[in-house]
Amino acid sequence: MKIGSVDLASPFAVAPMAGMTDTAFRRLVKRHGGCGLVVTEMVSAEGLVRGIDRTLEYAEYTEEERPVSIQIFGGDPDKMAAAAQIVEGMGADIVDVNMGCPVPKIAKHNAGCSLMREPAHAATVIAAMAKAVKIPVTVKMRAGWNDDERNAPVLARMVEDAGAAAVAVHGRTAAQSYSGSADWEIVARVADALTIPVFGSGDCIEPEQVIARMRAGIEGVLVGRGVLRNPWILAQARDIAAGLPPRVVTMADRGQFLLDYIELLRNERVRDGESRILSRPESQVLNPDLRPDPSHDRWIVNKLRALGSWYTKGIDNGSHLRTAINSAISLPALIEIIEGFFMATPV
Ligand SMILES: Cc1cc2nc3c(=O)[nH]c(=O)nc-3n(C[C@H](O)[C@H](O)[C@H](O)COP(=O)(O)O)c2cc1C
């Protein structure tokens, strides 16, 4: 399938997840297969335009993640157009607009899910961006603002007319945040109403659920928390789609994933003159004084704690592992915990 001129080898994608889906994590998921698209954590249009270091870090990606979509948030059409140009200049394949984030810090600035309350303004933002760049502009929205305003089908039509190349719908309202369950009927209604590709998002934990959601009209599925629990879910979905049994993931595989993640993070945010990060513009090379960061190990431990809160769900003794990860006092101690839990040979 295609989004604009961008080819996707698989209809299954890693959903954007702030604080979770960094470049290292996305790379590993991609290596395990079945992943047709990765979307970065959302980054601020304002921060991109101002060249803020932290914002640029959130937008970093590597060549092996392609095709890559960088998701931005903001509400001002001119600023969003300028940010889209920066994203294009960073070499991203797609620029995605967040119209679903319910976090007040974002929503109160006329960005994220607030754009769903002002469809005409949201369409103006997309039109400005589509005019400013050649790469596809896509939109990720929710089912609506609240139960009385489930306007995804209307808004989706408007952003399509304004030049969006694809739309993704998380089937919950902003008011729901993450409670209740995703409404895939509304995703199907959006797909019926549009000619551009429509992706659905919400509550796919098992690979079979990903396949079940690929109903007529829906072109692809963005998997969020399911990937954090099981980074093989997209590969397993593709196995099923190919008529094969889903691949078996052993405890040792699961442990190795965490060790590989640590290894990638170890090489990240360090100044080695040969950074594998490709997206940062030459003019925005990080301040050498900042690297290597003395608290780098702590940063990695915190990253593993964040992933651990999802990764340990659904496995035997997962809560025990979660507690152990959260109390690890150093990176070597954390590695020992992971090896002991996943790789210890049963006697
Ligand atoms: C920790 C976390 C962070 C998220 N961050 C973003 C984000 O930055 N941008 C966005 O569009 N959606 C974000 N989402 C929503 C997901 O992309 C996804 O649509 C939602 O979680 C439903 O899918 P799931 O049930 O497969 O997780 C986030 C979700 C979670 C759990």
Side-chain angles (χ1 to χ4, degrees):
M1 67 159 303
K2 274 175 172 255
I3 295 179
S5 56
V6 179
D7 270 315
L8 270 52
S10 157
F12 313 130
V14 179
M17 281 178 288
M20 304 304 307
T21 48
D22 53 55
T23 168
F25 182 81
R26 297 190 306 255
R27 244 176 286 162
L28 283 181
V29 174
K30 188 91 191 196
R31 282 178 199 173
H32 288 296
C35 173
L37 178 71
V38 299
V39 189
T40 65
E41 312 175 56
M42 61 177 176
V43 299
S44 151
E46 177 85 36
L48 283 179
V49 171
R50 290 214 243 138
I52 293 173
D53 226 24
R54 181 59 66 87
T55 308
L56 290 162
E57 277 179 13
Y58 289 143
E60 284 174 345
Y61 68 90
T62 56
E63 197 61 35
E64 74 171 292
E65 291 164 63
R66 284 196 194 281
V68 173
S69 169
I70 294 184
Q71 187 187 66
I72 64 174
F73 66 88
D76 177 72
D78 291 341
K79 226 165 251 172
M80 290 291 276
Q85 285 173 337
I86 292 167
V87 166
E88 186 171 53
M90 290 168 113
D93 300 287
I94 294 170
V95 57
D96 185 53
V97 179
N98 183 314
M99 294 195 188
C101 182
V103 175
K105 187 169 82 174
I106 309 284
K108 79 171 181 220
H109 288 300
N110 205 16
C113 67
S114 297
L115 288 169
M116 293 205 75
R117 296 201 99 171
E118 295 180 76
H121 179 70
T124 310
V125 169
I126 298 305
M129 292 172 66
K131 203 169 142 210
V133 293
K134 292 197 179 65
I135 56 172
V137 177
T138 61
V139 175
K140 181 158 179 286
M141 61 179 70
R142 284 188 173 239
W145 175 261
N146 61 22
D147 247 352
D148 298 328
E149 293 177 62
R150 300 172 73 81
N151 64 340
V154 174
L155 175 64
R157 275 295 300 273
M158 291 174 73
V159 297
E160 174 175 34
D161 290 346
V167 164
V169 182
H170 172 197
R172 283 185 177 81
T173 63
Q176 265 183 295
S177 191
Y178 290 91
S179 65
S181 50
D183 172 5
W184 281 80
E185 286 308 318
I186 200 163
V187 181
R189 279 206 281 129
V190 173
D192 275 349
L194 267 54
T195 57
I196 55 174
V198 173
F199 288 73
S201 173
D203 303 341
C204 293
I205 298 299
E206 300 296 336
E208 290 80 7
Q209 292 170 313
V210 178
I211 298 299
R213 294 310 183 192
M214 291 288 294
R215 276 186 280 163
I218 297 173
E219 292 263 358
V221 178
L222 293 181
V223 184
R225 292 165 294 181
V227 179
L228 302 178
R229 287 168 71 136
N230 169 20
W232 292 264
I233 186 172
L234 306 181
Q236 290 172 324
R238 201 182 50 180
D239 291 340
I240 298 169
L244 301 166
R247 67 197 58 190
V248 173
V249 179
T250 65
M251 284 293 272
D253 294 334
R254 291 186 64 85
Q256 193 57 49
F257 184 94
L258 294 180
L259 298 177
D260 290 344
Y261 185 44
I262 290 172
E263 199 47 40
L264 289 181
L265 291 173
R266 268 187 160 145
N267 293 312
E268 213 115 291
R269 307 194 170 196
V270 282
R271 187 164 58 93
D272 57 10
E274 216 187 304
S275 171
R276 283 163 297 152
I277 303 296
L278 299 175
S279 54
R280 185 174 289 271
E282 271 307 304
S283 60
Q284 300 283 3
V285 178
L286 290 168
N287 176 356
D289 297 337
L290 292 177
R291 302 148 193 258
D293 182 346
S295 60
H296 198 229
D297 275 14
R298 174 57 42 197
W299 174 73
I300 296 174
V301 170
N302 286 338
K303 280 264 172 199
L304 266 289
R305 283 183 183 168
L307 179 59
S309 68
W310 302 99
Y311 200 79
T312 55
K313 287 199 167 97
I315 54 174
D316 285 348
N317 276 325
S319 62
H320 176 76
L321 173 63
R322 188 154 59 245
T323 309
I325 290 177
N326 286 340
S327 50
I329 50 159
S330 67
L331 187 54
L334 178 63
I335 291 170
E336 208 171 294
I337 289 164
I338 293 167
E339 287 174 344
F341 186 88
F342 290 102
M343 274 106 165
T345 322
V347 276

